[in-house]
Every structure is written in structure tokens, then in C-alpha cells.
Amino acid sequence: MTEAMALAEGEDDSLDAWRKGHGSYFKRNGGFSPDMQIVWERFILIEDLGREDDALGHSSSLTDPAA
């Protein structure tokens, strides 16, 4: 895990804080080892189907610059 990856997750303000918080989580939920493998994925929101168009007609698609 790099600092950029930890910060991109949005839960902590540093890699050290990420390690502390996630280490505690893993210990509570089955175990932790400093050399354990972690799967890290990044997703990009393409469209928010729950958002209605606003009064100005902006669409919910992030590919639409007017949104």
C-alpha cells in the first residue's frame, strides 16, 4: 500500500494512520500480518442512476461536463 493509495481511499490523512486503522480492523476480523497481501481496487463512477436531472437539465452522467 502506498501513501497515494491510502489517501485515495479517503478514510485517513496519512499512510501511518491507514496502517494503524486497518491493522486494528483486520486484527478484530480474523487476523493481521504485516506481510499479508491486500487487494486494492479503484472504481470510477460512470453514472449515478439514483440522481434525477436538476431543474437546469443537468444530467447525472459524470461524462457530461454540464453535470
Side-chain angles (χ1 to χ4, degrees):
M1 179 63 75
T2 67
E3 182 140 15
M5 293 163 72
L7 294 176
E9 189 179 49
E11 292 183 19
D12 301 292
D13 60 1
S14 70
L15 179 56
D16 288 335
W18 184 94
R19 287 179 175 157
K20 181 179 179 183
H22 284 72
S24 296
Y25 171 82
F26 292 131
K27 286 176 187 174
R28 287 191 314 270
N29 292 283
F32 172 76
S33 171
D35 62 347
M36 68 189 284
Q37 293 185 1
I38 296 175
V39 175
W40 185 81
E41 296 178 305
R42 179 176 220 151
F43 297 93
I44 298 171
L45 178 64
I46 302 298
E47 186 172 1
D48 182 350
L49 300 175
R51 179 180 152 200
E52 295 182 23
D53 291 350
D54 64 22
L56 298 175
H58 296 154
S59 75
S60 62
S61 174
L62 291 180
T63 59
D64 180 352

PDB file of all heavy atoms in Angstrom, residues 45-67:
ATOM      1  N   LEU A  45     -16.944   6.273 -10.912  1.00  0.00           N
ATOM      2  CA  LEU A  45     -18.384   6.366 -11.105  1.00  0.00           C
ATOM      3  C   LEU A  45     -18.655   6.883 -12.515  1.00  0.00           C
ATOM      4  O   LEU A  45     -18.191   7.959 -12.892  1.00  0.00           O
ATOM      5  CB  LEU A  45     -19.020   7.305 -10.078  1.00  0.00           C
ATOM      6  CG  LEU A  45     -20.517   7.525 -10.202  1.00  0.00           C
ATOM      7  CD1 LEU A  45     -21.267   6.217  -9.946  1.00  0.00           C
ATOM      8  CD2 LEU A  45     -20.960   8.604  -9.239  1.00  0.00           C
ATOM      9  N   ILE A  46     -19.366   6.101 -13.278  1.00  0.00           N
ATOM     10  CA  ILE A  46     -19.710   6.491 -14.643  1.00  0.00           C
ATOM     11  C   ILE A  46     -21.036   7.239 -14.673  1.00  0.00           C
ATOM     12  O   ILE A  46     -21.186   8.250 -15.333  1.00  0.00           O
ATOM     13  CB  ILE A  46     -19.795   5.249 -15.571  1.00  0.00           C
ATOM     14  CG1 ILE A  46     -18.474   4.481 -15.561  1.00  0.00           C
ATOM     15  CG2 ILE A  46     -20.202   5.638 -16.973  1.00  0.00           C
ATOM     16  CD1 ILE A  46     -17.285   5.266 -16.064  1.00  0.00           C
ATOM     17  N   GLU A  47     -22.000   6.737 -13.922  1.00  0.00           N
ATOM     18  CA  GLU A  47     -23.312   7.375 -13.907  1.00  0.00           C
ATOM     19  C   GLU A  47     -23.998   7.071 -12.588  1.00  0.00           C
ATOM     20  O   GLU A  47     -23.948   5.950 -12.099  1.00  0.00           O
ATOM     21  CB  GLU A  47     -24.165   6.855 -15.067  1.00  0.00           C
ATOM     22  CG  GLU A  47     -25.486   7.559 -15.218  1.00  0.00           C
ATOM     23  CD  GLU A  47     -26.218   7.158 -16.490  1.00  0.00           C
ATOM     24  OE1 GLU A  47     -25.717   6.323 -17.244  1.00  0.00           O
ATOM     25  OE2 GLU A  47     -27.303   7.697 -16.704  1.00  0.00           O
ATOM     26  N   ASP A  48     -24.636   8.075 -12.008  1.00  0.00           N
ATOM     27  CA  ASP A  48     -25.400   7.922 -10.779  1.00  0.00           C
ATOM     28  C   ASP A  48     -26.862   7.772 -11.168  1.00  0.00           C
ATOM     29  O   ASP A  48     -27.536   8.747 -11.481  1.00  0.00           O
ATOM     30  CB  ASP A  48     -25.188   9.128  -9.867  1.00  0.00           C
ATOM     31  CG  ASP A  48     -25.923   9.004  -8.549  1.00  0.00           C
ATOM     32  OD1 ASP A  48     -26.745   8.075  -8.394  1.00  0.00           O
ATOM     33  OD2 ASP A  48     -25.667   9.841  -7.667  1.00  0.00           O
ATOM     34  N   LEU A  49     -27.355   6.546 -11.187  1.00  0.00           N
ATOM     35  CA  LEU A  49     -28.716   6.284 -11.623  1.00  0.00           C
ATOM     36  C   LEU A  49     -29.755   6.725 -10.604  1.00  0.00           C
ATOM     37  O   LEU A  49     -30.941   6.786 -10.916  1.00  0.00           O
ATOM     38  CB  LEU A  49     -28.893   4.798 -11.949  1.00  0.00           C
ATOM     39  CG  LEU A  49     -27.981   4.284 -13.066  1.00  0.00           C
ATOM     40  CD1 LEU A  49     -28.145   2.779 -13.234  1.00  0.00           C
ATOM     41  CD2 LEU A  49     -28.236   5.004 -14.369  1.00  0.00           C
ATOM     42  N   GLY A  50     -29.326   7.054  -9.396  1.00  0.00           N
ATOM     43  CA  GLY A  50     -30.251   7.499  -8.361  1.00  0.00           C
ATOM     44  C   GLY A  50     -30.480   8.996  -8.369  1.00  0.00           C
ATOM     45  O   GLY A  50     -31.357   9.502  -7.695  1.00  0.00           O
ATOM     46  N   ARG A  51     -29.697   9.725  -9.127  1.00  0.00           N
ATOM     47  CA  ARG A  51     -29.811  11.188  -9.168  1.00  0.00           C
ATOM     48  C   ARG A  51     -30.709  11.607 -10.321  1.00  0.00           C
ATOM     49  O   ARG A  51     -30.500  11.231 -11.465  1.00  0.00           O
ATOM     50  CB  ARG A  51     -28.431  11.813  -9.341  1.00  0.00           C
ATOM     51  CG  ARG A  51     -28.453  13.303  -9.412  1.00  0.00           C
ATOM     52  CD  ARG A  51     -27.062  13.856  -9.572  1.00  0.00           C
ATOM     53  NE  ARG A  51     -27.162  15.116 -10.283  1.00  0.00           N
ATOM     54  CZ  ARG A  51     -26.184  15.693 -10.926  1.00  0.00           C
ATOM     55  NH1 ARG A  51     -25.005  15.113 -10.972  1.00  0.00           N
ATOM     56  NH2 ARG A  51     -26.350  16.827 -11.536  1.00  0.00           N
ATOM     57  N   GLU A  52     -31.693  12.404 -10.010  1.00  0.00           N
ATOM     58  CA  GLU A  52     -32.577  12.915 -11.049  1.00  0.00           C
ATOM     59  C   GLU A  52     -31.944  14.148 -11.685  1.00  0.00           C
ATOM     60  O   GLU A  52     -31.174  14.856 -11.052  1.00  0.00           O
ATOM     61  CB  GLU A  52     -33.929  13.288 -10.455  1.00  0.00           C
ATOM     62  CG  GLU A  52     -34.686  12.104  -9.907  1.00  0.00           C
ATOM     63  CD  GLU A  52     -36.038  12.496  -9.360  1.00  0.00           C
ATOM     64  OE1 GLU A  52     -36.567  13.538  -9.768  1.00  0.00           O
ATOM     65  OE2 GLU A  52     -36.541  11.753  -8.521  1.00  0.00           O
ATOM     66  N   ASP A  53     -32.277  14.409 -12.930  1.00  0.00           N
ATOM     67  CA  ASP A  53     -31.819  15.637 -13.565  1.00  0.00           C
ATOM     68  C   ASP A  53     -32.344  16.821 -12.766  1.00  0.00           C
ATOM     69  O   ASP A  53     -33.464  16.809 -12.279  1.00  0.00           O
ATOM     70  CB  ASP A  53     -32.318  15.731 -15.006  1.00  0.00           C
ATOM     71  CG  ASP A  53     -31.657  14.688 -15.907  1.00  0.00           C
ATOM     72  OD1 ASP A  53     -30.701  14.041 -15.462  1.00  0.00           O
ATOM     73  OD2 ASP A  53     -32.109  14.533 -17.049  1.00  0.00           O
ATOM     74  N   ASP A  54     -31.515  17.845 -12.640  1.00  0.00           N
ATOM     75  CA  ASP A  54     -31.970  19.007 -11.877  1.00  0.00           C
ATOM     76  C   ASP A  54     -32.796  19.948 -12.759  1.00  0.00           C
ATOM     77  O   ASP A  54     -33.015  19.702 -13.940  1.00  0.00           O
ATOM     78  CB  ASP A  54     -30.792  19.724 -11.218  1.00  0.00           C
ATOM     79  CG  ASP A  54     -29.812  20.329 -12.218  1.00  0.00           C
ATOM     80  OD1 ASP A  54     -30.207  20.580 -13.369  1.00  0.00           O
ATOM     81  OD2 ASP A  54     -28.664  20.559 -11.832  1.00  0.00           O
ATOM     82  N   ALA A  55     -33.235  21.043 -12.191  1.00  0.00           N
ATOM     83  CA  ALA A  55     -34.116  21.974 -12.902  1.00  0.00           C
ATOM     84  C   ALA A  55     -33.446  22.598 -14.121  1.00  0.00           C
ATOM     85  O   ALA A  55     -34.110  23.045 -15.046  1.00  0.00           O
ATOM     86  CB  ALA A  55     -34.576  23.075 -11.946  1.00  0.00           C
ATOM     87  N   LEU A  56     -32.115  22.638 -14.131  1.00  0.00           N
ATOM     88  CA  LEU A  56     -31.394  23.209 -15.264  1.00  0.00           C
ATOM     89  C   LEU A  56     -31.159  22.190 -16.363  1.00  0.00           C
ATOM     90  O   LEU A  56     -30.563  22.498 -17.382  1.00  0.00           O
ATOM     91  CB  LEU A  56     -30.054  23.799 -14.802  1.00  0.00           C
ATOM     92  CG  LEU A  56     -30.155  24.938 -13.790  1.00  0.00           C
ATOM     93  CD1 LEU A  56     -28.766  25.349 -13.326  1.00  0.00           C
ATOM     94  CD2 LEU A  56     -30.886  26.122 -14.394  1.00  0.00           C
ATOM     95  N   GLY A  57     -31.588  20.959 -16.134  1.00  0.00           N
ATOM     96  CA  GLY A  57     -31.423  19.926 -17.132  1.00  0.00           C
ATOM     97  C   GLY A  57     -30.082  19.236 -17.117  1.00  0.00           C
ATOM     98  O   GLY A  57     -29.718  18.543 -18.052  1.00  0.00           O
ATOM     99  N   HIS A  58     -29.314  19.413 -16.043  1.00  0.00           N
ATOM    100  CA  HIS A  58     -28.036  18.736 -15.929  1.00  0.00           C
ATOM    101  C   HIS A  58     -28.282  17.246 -15.789  1.00  0.00           C
ATOM    102  O   HIS A  58     -29.117  16.812 -15.001  1.00  0.00           O
ATOM    103  CB  HIS A  58     -27.222  19.241 -14.734  1.00  0.00           C
ATOM    104  CG  HIS A  58     -26.836  20.671 -14.868  1.00  0.00           C
ATOM    105  ND1 HIS A  58     -26.587  21.458 -13.782  1.00  0.00           N
ATOM    106  CD2 HIS A  58     -26.639  21.461 -15.955  1.00  0.00           C
ATOM    107  CE1 HIS A  58     -26.258  22.659 -14.179  1.00  0.00           C
ATOM    108  NE2 HIS A  58     -26.283  22.693 -15.497  1.00  0.00           N
ATOM    109  N   SER A  59     -27.537  16.458 -16.533  1.00  0.00           N
ATOM    110  CA  SER A  59     -27.731  15.010 -16.452  1.00  0.00           C
ATOM    111  C   SER A  59     -26.931  14.437 -15.301  1.00  0.00           C
ATOM    112  O   SER A  59     -26.064  15.096 -14.739  1.00  0.00           O
ATOM    113  CB  SER A  59     -27.321  14.343 -17.766  1.00  0.00           C
ATOM    114  OG  SER A  59     -25.921  14.308 -17.869  1.00  0.00           O
ATOM    115  N   SER A  60     -27.190  13.179 -14.978  1.00  0.00           N
ATOM    116  CA  SER A  60     -26.496  12.530 -13.871  1.00  0.00           C
ATOM    117  C   SER A  60     -25.193  11.896 -14.305  1.00  0.00           C
ATOM    118  O   SER A  60     -24.449  11.382 -13.499  1.00  0.00           O
ATOM    119  CB  SER A  60     -27.394  11.457 -13.263  1.00  0.00           C
ATOM    120  OG  SER A  60     -27.680  10.465 -14.235  1.00  0.00           O
ATOM    121  N   SER A  61     -24.864  11.941 -15.575  1.00  0.00           N
ATOM    122  CA  SER A  61     -23.651  11.300 -16.072  1.00  0.00           C
ATOM    123  C   SER A  61     -22.434  12.171 -15.791  1.00  0.00           C
ATOM    124  O   SER A  61     -22.422  13.360 -16.086  1.00  0.00           O
ATOM    125  CB  SER A  61     -23.763  11.054 -17.579  1.00  0.00           C
ATOM    126  OG  SER A  61     -22.533  10.571 -18.075  1.00  0.00           O
ATOM    127  N   LEU A  62     -21.382  11.556 -15.238  1.00  0.00           N
ATOM    128  CA  LEU A  62     -20.151  12.300 -14.993  1.00  0.00           C
ATOM    129  C   LEU A  62     -19.406  12.581 -16.285  1.00  0.00           C
ATOM    130  O   LEU A  62     -18.484  13.381 -16.308  1.00  0.00           O
ATOM    131  CB  LEU A  62     -19.250  11.526 -14.024  1.00  0.00           C
ATOM    132  CG  LEU A  62     -19.775  11.438 -12.611  1.00  0.00           C
ATOM    133  CD1 LEU A  62     -18.815  10.657 -11.738  1.00  0.00           C
ATOM    134  CD2 LEU A  62     -19.985  12.804 -12.019  1.00  0.00           C
ATOM    135  N   THR A  63     -19.768  11.930 -17.366  1.00  0.00           N
ATOM    136  CA  THR A  63     -19.125  12.196 -18.643  1.00  0.00           C
ATOM    137  C   THR A  63     -19.704  13.445 -19.277  1.00  0.00           C
ATOM    138  O   THR A  63     -19.170  13.976 -20.224  1.00  0.00           O
ATOM    139  CB  THR A  63     -19.284  11.008 -19.611  1.00  0.00           C
ATOM    140  OG1 THR A  63     -20.683  10.758 -19.812  1.00  0.00           O
ATOM    141  CG2 THR A  63     -18.601   9.765 -19.059  1.00  0.00           C
ATOM    142  N   ASP A  64     -20.807  13.962 -18.746  1.00  0.00           N
ATOM    143  CA  ASP A  64     -21.431  15.192 -19.238  1.00  0.00           C
ATOM    144  C   ASP A  64     -20.853  16.359 -18.467  1.00  0.00           C
ATOM    145  O   ASP A  64     -21.052  16.472 -17.271  1.00  0.00           O
ATOM    146  CB  ASP A  64     -22.940  15.109 -19.032  1.00  0.00           C
ATOM    147  CG  ASP A  64     -23.677  16.353 -19.518  1.00  0.00           C
ATOM    148  OD1 ASP A  64     -23.006  17.329 -19.882  1.00  0.00           O
ATOM    149  OD2 ASP A  64     -24.912  16.311 -19.535  1.00  0.00           O
ATOM    150  N   PRO A  65     -20.087  17.246 -19.103  1.00  0.00           N
ATOM    151  CA  PRO A  65     -19.464  18.362 -18.382  1.00  0.00           C
ATOM    152  C   PRO A  65     -20.465  19.298 -17.717  1.00  0.00           C
ATOM    153  O   PRO A  65     -20.127  20.042 -16.807  1.00  0.00           O
ATOM    154  CB  PRO A  65     -18.665  19.103 -19.458  1.00  0.00           C
ATOM    155  CG  PRO A  65     -18.963  18.472 -20.748  1.00  0.00           C
ATOM    156  CD  PRO A  65     -19.789  17.243 -20.513  1.00  0.00           C
ATOM    157  N   ALA A  66     -21.720  19.268 -18.130  1.00  0.00           N
ATOM    158  CA  ALA A  66     -22.736  20.126 -17.516  1.00  0.00           C
ATOM    159  C   ALA A  66     -23.252  19.571 -16.213  1.00  0.00           C
ATOM    160  O   ALA A  66     -23.926  20.261 -15.465  1.00  0.00           O
ATOM    161  CB  ALA A  66     -23.893  20.337 -18.496  1.00  0.00           C
ATOM    162  N   ALA A  67     -22.952  18.306 -15.936  1.00  0.00           N
ATOM    163  CA  ALA A  67     -23.480  17.651 -14.726  1.00  0.00           C
ATOM    164  C   ALA A  67     -22.777  18.158 -13.491  1.00  0.00           C
ATOM    165  O   ALA A  67     -21.701  18.629 -13.501  1.00  0.00           O
ATOM    166  CB  ALA A  67     -23.341  16.146 -14.841  1.00  0.00           C
TER     167      ALA A  67
END
